[in-house]
């Protein structure tokens, strides 16, 4: 059984390496030939891997077909289905999940189950919705999509893990049926009561997360505290809480068994009651991944106990891992899946390695407590070190305070807060008792969150260049754990020295050319990164692992491109500061993140084309040098109070030799200049001929005039080779203009759009330009099909 479970799991996980799904006939042919060969040679493991790969292919194919079905009708369509999100009636949410049962349009009417994530249009008054209600909605759907950058949140991957087939905007809606007589409606009504009972409590968001897995009441500050303290797993219904619920049921079942007496079936009351309470708590959480894993593992362990079968812990873990993947082959695209199983695996390894307390009657009180705390401390240190690779790969860092905070918080929350939350839910029909339990739970959380607040800003980011350190630390920790120090002192000292001197980075994302060649950054090597920021602009110019930023992208309530994209990319490269910050003009999609970046990265110098405190002028005639690059401002002629599109700061960036002589590849940054600015600039700079051109104003018809491009392109063979355009895939302005795009293509200029390619990186060395498109070249996957141009 171990071989079959491992083989199926490996086959399912192979989906992560598929760049495209195989054709039906090709897959069936390969499967048949492979099965015959494996059966003949008795390669049973390969047979199980093939079964897993078959399940993975079925799940991925079904997902993509549903995505294509959701986007087959580009016009507004009508869908009928059920609200699947838990919603707070005190604060109407603009986003919710919806499971369709029927789709209607002018020429089609089909019964189809799709999971879509919808948001209400700004022009519509948001009605009160509840989980389990049936609605008829008029929507405009689009396939799930997100920004693709070298670092930061990968929304497309998350949509795959959550099984979201489409996103869209709701234009109108009609409630068809209430939710009182469904399980989802019952969950919503219990949640509504909890929302009313917790009104005014200081830790309301955390309590709702602990009780129902509802995270909508936690704001960005709350998530920052949870991340920096390492308590994010504790403030939602996790496997730990399901285990506590099962233990509570087991304890209650033991009491009932003693009360019943000699009834023969009463012996199994603790088992069945524990499973029932665990399943009930998992249902309240919406059967999230951690709760599924914990419930499934508990079921396996208790059933084995029921039939007096003894299995080692690793065998149970392997079986649950394979079954969880088989039930949902796309679950491995979510961080929670890996964090959950990795944490349980580390705990199991620690227990097998001797991190446990086995007391006996001869020990005193002090010795027993010392042994228990020693085991807890070692367990937390094991989790910190051995979970480093998972934390690094999914979140780019870790909290060094996590062992200390969890050492104190986990026992306290487990013994006080979680039982009080469960009691509050049980006593929901009795208002006074429920309110008392919620208030006591709120009080019990106060010392935990007070302690967590001391860790704010304590998150340690791990750059990609520190990947070898992560691996080295984990390997050394395992070796120190497994090998006796006295006997292997020479080996351990040698390996420690190797790890300390292990300074060659695994990935040099600051220089894709160096990544390919394996060489160290050269003095004349530089690169341009057009970040995928949706509608807006952010361009990084880098050399010698230092960067200058041109524009900052947009912002929204509770977040910004600066924090969601620019900061992760810079920290992935190990850059804690910016050498320079340039704002082309004052529009929010170009300059909204300036305040955040000034605090987070403290630029040495700042320039803008309007009057800003602390900023130097970015107007025609200004020139400066930065490492091997020269910056020459070509437009606007003067500063203004507030820079609009025509006042965008236009800069030519070129490698220089000597003080003023520019040579090599050149880049022209244009902001959002319009046609008039282009014509005036053409007169002022008749010899302007960049190799890389940032397409003005996101490819709008108001820019990129034929006259300007003609003058730029007819000086020998020096016309632009690459046109970079920063644009959102589904923007309401239908940018870029097809006419403008064709104008560039007619001149033989390669068009590189963030809507089609995600982040675009151009690595420049010795006059050669190497292009990296992250959607196609770095993060290609079966769920990222080629995006056709507009």
């Amino acid at each position: 059984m171990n071989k079959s479970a491992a083989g199926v799991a490996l086959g399912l996980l192979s989906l992560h390496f598929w760049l495209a799904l195989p054709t039906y006939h090709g897959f069936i042919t390969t499967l048949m030939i492979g099965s015959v060969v494996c059966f003949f040679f008795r390669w049973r493991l390969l047979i199980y891997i093939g079964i897993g790969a078959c399940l993975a292919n079925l799940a991925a194919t079904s997902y993509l077909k549903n995505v294509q079905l959701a986007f087959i009708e580009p016009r507004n369509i009508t869908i009928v289905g059920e609200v699947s999100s838990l919603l707070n009636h005190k604060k109407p949410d603009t986003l919710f999940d919806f499971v369709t049962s029927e789709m209607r349009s002018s020429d089609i009417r089909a019964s189809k189950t799709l999971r879509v994530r919808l948001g209400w249009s700004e022009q519509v008054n948001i009605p009160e919705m509840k989980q389990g209600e049936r609605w008829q909605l008029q929507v405009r759907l689009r396939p799930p999509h997100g920004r693709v950058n070298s670092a930061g949140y990968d929304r497309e991957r998350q949509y795959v893990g959550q099984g979201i087939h489409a996103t869209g905007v709701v234009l109108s809606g009609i409630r068809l049926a209430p939710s009182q007589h469904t399980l989802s409606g019952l969950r919503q009504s219990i949640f509504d009561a909890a929302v009313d009972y917790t009104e005014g409590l200081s830790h309301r968001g955390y309590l709702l997360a602990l009780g129902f897995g509802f995270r909508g009441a936690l704001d960005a500050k709350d998530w920052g505290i949870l991340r920096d303290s390492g308590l994010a797993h504790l403030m939602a219904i996790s496997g730990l809480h399901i285990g506590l619920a099962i233990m509570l049921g087991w304890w209650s079942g033991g009491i009932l068994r003693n009360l019943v007496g000699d009834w023969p079936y009463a012996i199994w009351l603790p088992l069945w009651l524990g499973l029932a309470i665990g399943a009930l708590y998992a249902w309240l959480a919406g059967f999230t991944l951690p709760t599924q894993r914990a419930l499934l593992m508990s079921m396996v362990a208790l059933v084995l106990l029921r039939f007096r079968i003894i299995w080692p812990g690793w065998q149970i873990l392997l079986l649950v891992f394979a079954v969880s993947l088989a039930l949902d082959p796309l679950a491995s695209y979510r961080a929670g899946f890996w964090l959950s199983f990795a944490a349980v695996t580390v705990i199991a390894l620690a227990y097998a390695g001797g991190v446990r307390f086995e007391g006996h009657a001869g020990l005193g009180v002090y010795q027993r407590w010392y042994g228990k705390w020693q085991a807890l401390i070692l367990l937390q240190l094991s989790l910190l070190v051995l979970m480093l690779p998972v934390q690094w790969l999914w979140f780019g860092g870790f909290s060094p305070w996590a062992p200390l905070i969890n050492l104190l918080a986990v026992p306290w929350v487990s013994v006080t807060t979680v039982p009080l939350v469960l009691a509050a839910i049980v006593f929901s029909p009795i208002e006074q008792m429920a309110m008392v339990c919620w208030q006591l739970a709120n009080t019990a959380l106060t010392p935990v969150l007070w302690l967590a607040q001391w860790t704010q800003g304590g998150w340690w980011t791990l750059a990609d260049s520190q990947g070898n350190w992560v691996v080295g630390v984990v390997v050394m920790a395992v070796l120190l754990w497994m090998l006796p120090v006295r006997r292997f002192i020479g080996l351990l000292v040698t390996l420690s020295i190797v790890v300390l001197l292990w300074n060659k980075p695994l990935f040099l994302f600051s220089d894709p050319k160096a990544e390919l060649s394996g060489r160290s950054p050269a003095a004349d090597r530089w690169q341009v990164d057009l970040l995928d920021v949706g509608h807006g602009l952010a361009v990084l110019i880098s050399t010698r692992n230092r960067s200058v930023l041109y524009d900052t992208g947009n912002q929204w309530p509770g977040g910004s491109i600066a924090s969601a994209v620019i900061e992760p990319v810079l920290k992935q490269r190990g850059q804690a500061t910016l050498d320079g910050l340039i704002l082309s003009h004052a529009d929010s999609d170009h300059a909204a993140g300036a305040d955040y970046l000034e605090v987070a990265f403290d630029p040495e110098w700042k320039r803008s084309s309007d009057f800003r405190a602390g900023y130097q002028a970015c107007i025609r005639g200004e020139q400066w040098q930065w490492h091997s690059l020269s910056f020459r401002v070509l437009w606007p002629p003067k500063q203004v109070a507030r820079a609009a599109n025509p006042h965008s700061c236009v800069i030519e960036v070129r490698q220089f030799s000597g003080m003023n002589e520019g040579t090599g590849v050149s880049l022209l940054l244009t902001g959002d200049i319009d046609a008039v600015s282009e014509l005036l600039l053409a007169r002022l700079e008749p010899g302007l001929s960049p190799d890389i051109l940032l397409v003005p104003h996101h490819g709008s018809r108001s820019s990129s005039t034929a006259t300007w491009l003609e003058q730029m392109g007819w000086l020998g063979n020096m016309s632009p080779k690459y046109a970079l355009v920063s644009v959102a895939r589904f923007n309401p302005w239908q940018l870029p203009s097809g006419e403008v795009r064709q104008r560039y293509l007619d001149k033989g200029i390669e068009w590189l759009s963030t809507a089609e390619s995600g982040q675009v990186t151009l690595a420049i060395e010795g006059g050669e330009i190497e292009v990296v498109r992250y959607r196609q070249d770095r993060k290609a996957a079966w769920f990222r099909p080629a995006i056709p141009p507009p």
Side-chain angles (χ1 to χ4, degrees), residues 560-578:
S560 67
I561 289 296
S563 60
V565 176
I566 299 172
E567 182 176 28
V569 169
L570 288 173
K571 289 190 173 181
Q572 181 198 45
R573 301 175 178 183
Q575 298 180 17
T577 61
L578 278 169

Side-chain angles (χ1 to χ4, degrees), residues 23-219:
T23 62
Y24 174 78
H25 292 94
F27 183 77
I28 293 299
T29 303
T30 304
L31 185 64
M32 292 177 62
I33 296 175
S35 299
V36 172
V37 172
C38 291
F39 180 79
F40 180 79
F41 289 102
R42 297 185 180 181
W43 294 340
R44 294 183 180 179
L45 180 61
L46 290 180
I47 293 177
Y48 294 125
I49 291 175
I51 293 173
C54 185
L55 293 175
N57 183 62
L58 290 174
T61 302
S62 175
Y63 176 81
L64 285 187
K65 284 185 176 180
N66 287 336
V67 169
Q68 293 167 2
L69 179 64
F71 196 57
I72 198 170
E73 177 61 65
R75 296 167 294 176
N76 299 341
I77 64 172
T78 300
I79 59 175
V80 178
E82 181 178 304
V83 178
S84 60
S85 291
L86 198 62
L87 298 173
N88 185 354
H89 68 279
K90 294 287 186 179
K91 181 183 177 183
D93 292 316
T94 57
L95 284 177
F96 61 96
D97 288 350
F98 192 80
V99 178
T100 68
S101 58
E102 186 178 346
M103 299 178 66
R104 307 170 185 169
S105 69
S106 57
D107 53 355
I108 63 169
R109 181 167 181 165
S111 297
K112 188 63 178 178
T113 301
L114 302 177
R115 186 178 182 87
V116 297
R117 181 155 296 167
L118 302 173
W120 286 93
S121 172
E122 295 179 356
Q123 287 75 31
V124 178
N125 292 326
I126 302 176
E128 182 178 336
M129 305 181 77
K130 294 182 181 296
Q131 185 181 34
E133 290 181 340
R134 286 187 59 80
W135 281 72
Q136 177 179 299
L137 304 174
Q138 186 182 24
V139 298
R140 184 169 58 250
L141 295 179
R142 58 192 184 189
H145 69 285
R147 298 181 292 266
V148 180
N149 291 284
S150 57
Y153 178 59
D154 191 339
R155 181 172 296 172
E156 290 182 358
R157 181 176 61 186
Q158 191 73 2
Y159 281 153
V160 173
Q162 295 173 345
I164 301 296
H165 302 118
T167 61
V169 177
V170 181
L171 306 176
S172 63
I174 301 173
R175 183 184 287 106
L176 299 179
S179 61
Q180 287 91 342
H181 304 296
T182 64
L183 284 176
S184 298
L186 176 60
R187 180 179 178 233
Q188 178 73 62
S189 62
I190 298 173
F191 176 75
D192 289 342
V195 170
D196 292 333
Y197 295 153
T198 56
E199 184 78 32
L201 296 183
S202 57
H203 307 315
R204 179 189 196 180
Y206 299 99
L207 294 174
L208 294 178
L210 280 170
F212 302 89
F214 179 78
R215 304 183 180 189
L218 298 173
D219 57 23

